[in-house]
Amino acid sequence: MQFFKPVICVSACLNGENVRYNGQTISDDFVRLLLKFCRPFNVCPEVSIGLGVPRDRILVYYDTNQFRLFQPTTKKDVTHLMQQFATSFLTNVYDIDGFILKAKSPSCGVSGTKIYRDSMGSVFHSKGKGLFAAEVFNRFGYLPIEDEGRLRDEDIREHFLIRIFTFAHFREMIASKPAIQDLLQFHQEHKYILMTYNQRKLSQLGRILANYKKGAFETTLNDYKTLLYTAFSKKPSQKQHINTLLHISGYFSDNLNTNEKKHFLHLIDQYRENKIRRTVIIELLRNWALRFNDTYLLSQKYLNPYPEELTVR
Ligand code: SF4
């Protein structure tokens, strides 16, 4: 199966550039592998605002309702410079499917950045976002935004992968100047992914397509696009996945013998008890789809949401 390459903005230090404060880079196995299947472009906000490499440490502190970015050794406040850079850089970012930013950084951190009560970093305040990352969330909150640390969690990783590959597919479809048939096909192929993420939005998206009027394709496409991104905002629960898996297995009920059906339900129980991963069941459903040559199910992205090499087994 072919996958469109997601366009991903990456912290430069995670993608081979020696731009960290100590002149080094970060090597993360999964990010390195993932980026082979993407179209990445790098950003280093600290180098971009002229802090240089190597550089003295900067930190975030909270002062009268504002997060400030400060370099204690030089007493330089670079808050404004960073905000200016973030605004101008992100204004020129479009047609993008997600971000992978460096964990805990005062500029790039997406959630675990240490925030202090004072500009010298002596008193801890809380954990939060780096200043550049905060602006990424402001502008692109509807897209997947993660750091390399959080992507080690299997569920977060899968949620991220499903979204970036779905959004890349949708973006490429739009770029190809689609007709209503292309949008209908996209919807059909993503039916079970959408059902897993958000049944209500699946129905709403279906209604948008059903109400399509000749000559008003742009409106239909825009309405569909807006709703599609919001449909993926929340990671689905195990229960939602089980519902989809059972639904798909229903396609084979006339062709399977009693032992095969029992085995399938046993696997569902094992998954429910966290004894096996969902990929085991998906593999079985894929095999049945091949065995019974079910082309509809074989086209379902739920059974093949992203390149196999990225699957956690
Ligand atoms: S974390 Fe961000 S600002 Fe720091 S070196 Fe990496 S890319 Fe540059």
Side-chain angles (χ1 to χ4, degrees), residues 10-14 17-21 24 26 43-48 55 58 82 101-109 132:
V10 195
S11 289
C13 59
L14 282 171
E17 289 193 37
N18 296 310
V19 287
R20 294 201 76 206
Y21 67 96
Q24 294 191 351
I26 297 273
V43 60
C44 178
E46 291 175 22
V47 167
S48 299
R55 56 186 170 275
I58 57 173
M82 183 58 82
L101 301 176
K102 170 73 189 74
K104 299 178 184 170
S105 147
S107 305
C108 294
F132 177 75

Side-chain angles (χ1 to χ4, degrees), residues 18-298:
N18 296 310
V19 287
R20 294 201 76 206
Y21 67 96
N22 55 6
Q24 294 191 351
T25 182
I26 297 273
S27 182
D28 183 275
D29 289 348
F30 176 69
V31 172
R32 211 173 41 242
L33 174 67
L34 171 58
L35 294 182
K36 288 184 187 162
F37 295 87
C38 298
R39 280 164 48 202
F41 63 95
N42 294 355
V43 60
C44 178
E46 291 175 22
V47 167
S48 299
I49 63 170
L51 287 176
V53 182
R55 56 186 170 275
D56 289 336
R57 159 184 181 251
I58 57 173
L59 56 82
V60 185
Y61 75 100
Y62 189 66
D63 181 43
T64 48
N65 296 328
Q66 212 200 341
F67 294 102
R68 306 209 66 88
L69 200 56
F70 193 76
Q71 191 168 45
T73 49
T74 59
K75 306 253 186 309
K76 241 198 223 169
D77 186 320
V78 289
T79 312
H80 186 60
L81 270 180
M82 183 58 82
Q83 283 165 342
Q84 262 186 336
F85 168 72
T87 303
S88 72
F89 178 82
L90 294 170
T91 301
N92 291 307
V93 167
Y94 46 88
D95 284 348
I96 183 172
D97 304 308
F99 290 79
I100 303 178
L101 301 176
K102 170 73 189 74
K104 299 178 184 170
S105 147
S107 305
C108 294
V110 307
S111 60
T113 300
K114 271 189 185 169
I115 295 169
Y116 296 91
R117 283 186 194 283
D118 61 307
S119 63
M120 299 312 281
S122 9
V123 186
F124 176 73
H125 175 272
S126 58
K127 285 192 176 174
K129 296 178 178 50
L131 257 63
F132 177 75
E135 191 55 25
V136 171
F137 275 90
N138 274 344
R139 286 168 183 256
F140 294 98
Y142 58 94
L143 287 178
I145 304 164
E146 286 298 351
D147 65 44
E148 82 289 3
R150 281 174 50 88
L151 285 175
R152 283 183 207 121
D153 177 292
E154 292 174 4
D155 288 340
I156 292 175
R157 180 188 297 190
E158 191 184 36
H159 182 44
F160 184 80
L161 291 174
I162 287 176
R163 285 179 299 160
I164 59 170
F165 281 95
T166 303
F167 296 163
H169 188 155
F170 189 73
R171 179 181 45 71
E172 292 282 351
M173 185 198 61
I174 291 184
S176 69
K177 307 220 181 319
I180 185 69
Q181 288 73 16
D182 301 305
L183 189 54
L184 287 167
Q185 188 182 342
F186 177 90
H187 186 70
Q188 178 178 302
E189 290 174 357
H190 291 83
K191 176 182 165 183
Y192 285 108
I193 283 193
L194 283 162
M195 175 193 266
T196 312
Y197 268 83
N198 195 318
Q199 289 237 28
R200 196 167 53 84
K201 293 209 168 152
L202 168 66
S203 311
Q204 290 172 348
L205 287 163
R207 272 201 296 282
I208 290 174
L209 296 176
N211 291 334
Y212 162 70
K213 299 226 172 14
K214 221 174 167 193
F217 181 60
E218 279 304 307
T219 312
T220 303
L221 189 59
N222 285 335
D223 291 350
Y224 190 95
K225 182 179 177 183
T226 308
L227 196 60
L228 179 75
Y229 282 95
T230 64
F232 286 89
S233 57
K234 196 164 162 250
K235 188 157 60 75
S237 64
Q238 189 192 55
K239 206 170 147 194
Q240 287 166 288
H241 276 291
I242 289 176
N243 178 46
T244 301
L245 294 167
L246 289 170
H247 221 93
I248 294 178
S249 74
Y251 280 83
F252 308 113
S253 57
D254 291 342
N255 297 312
L256 299 174
N257 65 39
T258 314
N259 284 339
E260 284 173 314
K261 287 180 192 170
K262 265 193 196 157
H263 177 59
F264 182 78
L265 292 177
H266 172 66
L267 290 180
I268 291 281
D269 283 342
Q270 287 206 306
Y271 168 54
R272 194 179 277 118
E273 291 163 22
N274 298 317
K275 289 181 181 158
I276 59 166
R277 292 196 54 77
R278 191 170 58 253
T279 45
V280 175
I281 306 176
I282 289 194
E283 193 58 48
L284 180 60
L285 290 172
R286 263 203 305 241
N287 283 337
W288 285 345
L290 282 167
R291 182 169 134 202
F292 301 118
N293 195 25
D294 192 320
T295 48
Y296 173 69
L297 285 182
L298 287 171

